[in-house]
């Protein structure tokens, strides 16, 4: 099984690349969707977040007001770190179970779409690591245009994340999304070829097919041993 790490920065186009993988029948585990699930009303994550940030972050229906919580943590590094510490165990567990479900279905290549791949130290479990990079000016312009936010607020949100240049230095594959959608699609075709190349032996033994092969080998070995001993 090959776990491909996909990360980037806010408004870098990571979600577009993630959707391209899905369109090519490559399953994607989306950490943002997992995070939404662990913050649903009544969950363990929800209870701890409400206890730490107060009921003023809740909507009338009791669900977390995610934009309001986002404003709080993006403007305060200490509170952002607190939120990450609270949710990290729940998100990691959720990602693991999503991977397990896909492993059981027999998928050999799985993309992990994780914005905080490096910050959460999850990069050590993925190979290759793909970083969707964009130049700072384009990133700021796209974020302001996408969310209709002020330039100051957009800068705060960008600065709250690990700089894209640092992420790029840690990547195995870099997708430069500073250009057009056609440019991105052309780069993606090359990346898709790399990601779907034949599995290494190590990756094969980690796949469901590899596990079944190993199990079959063990069963055959046991049967041969039993037959040998019965003839003594």
């Amino acid at each position: 099984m090959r776990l491909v790490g996909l990360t980037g920065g806010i408004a870098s186009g990571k979600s577009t690349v993630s959707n391209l993988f899905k369109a090519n029948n490559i399953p994607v585990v989306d950490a943002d969707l997992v995070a939404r699930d662990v913050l649903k009303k009544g969950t363990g994550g929800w209870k701890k977040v409400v206890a730490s940030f107060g009921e003023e972050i809740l909507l009338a229906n009791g669900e977390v007001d995610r934009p309001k919580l986002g404003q709080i943590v993006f403007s305060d590094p200490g509170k952002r770190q607190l939120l990450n510490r609270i949710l990290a165990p729940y998100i990691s567990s959720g990602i693991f179970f999503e991977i397990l479900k896909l492993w059981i279905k027999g998928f050999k290549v799985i993309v992990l779409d994780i914005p905080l791949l490096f910050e959460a130290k999850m990069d050590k479990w993925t190979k290759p690591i793909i970083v969707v990079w964009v130049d700072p000016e384009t990133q700021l312009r796209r974020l302001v245009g996408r969310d209709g936010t002020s330039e100051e607020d957009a800068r705060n949100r960008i600065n709250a994340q690990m700089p894209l240049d640092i992420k790029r230095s840690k990547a195995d594959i870099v997708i430069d999304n500073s250009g057009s959608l056609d440019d991105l699609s052309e780069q993606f075709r090359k990346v898709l070829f790399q990601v779907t190349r034949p599995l290494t032996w190590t990756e094969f033994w980690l796949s469901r097919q590899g596990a079944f092969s190993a199990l079959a080998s063990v069963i055959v070995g046991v049967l041969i041993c039993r037959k040998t001993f019965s003839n003594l």
Side-chain angles (χ1 to χ4, degrees), residues 201-213:
W201 278 110
T202 300
E203 291 170 331
F204 173 73
W205 292 120
L206 290 174
S207 68
R208 188 188 70 168
Q209 292 84 352
F212 285 160
S213 296

Side-chain angles (χ1 to χ4, degrees), residues 39-47 62-63:
L39 262 183
K40 285 183 177 178
K41 182 180 178 181
T43 61
W46 178 90
K47 292 176 182 177
E63 295 289 352

Side-chain angles (χ1 to χ4, degrees), residues 39 53 63 72 79 106 135 177 183 221:
L39 262 183
F53 290 88
E63 295 289 352
I72 293 172
K79 291 182 178 179
D135 66 82
N177 191 29
D183 292 335

Side-chain angles (χ1 to χ4, degrees), residues 75-91:
S75 60
D76 188 326
K79 291 182 178 179
R80 185 168 63 252
Q81 291 175 6
L82 172 61
L83 181 65
N84 288 338
R85 285 198 302 271
I86 292 172
L87 294 182
Y90 297 100
I91 294 174

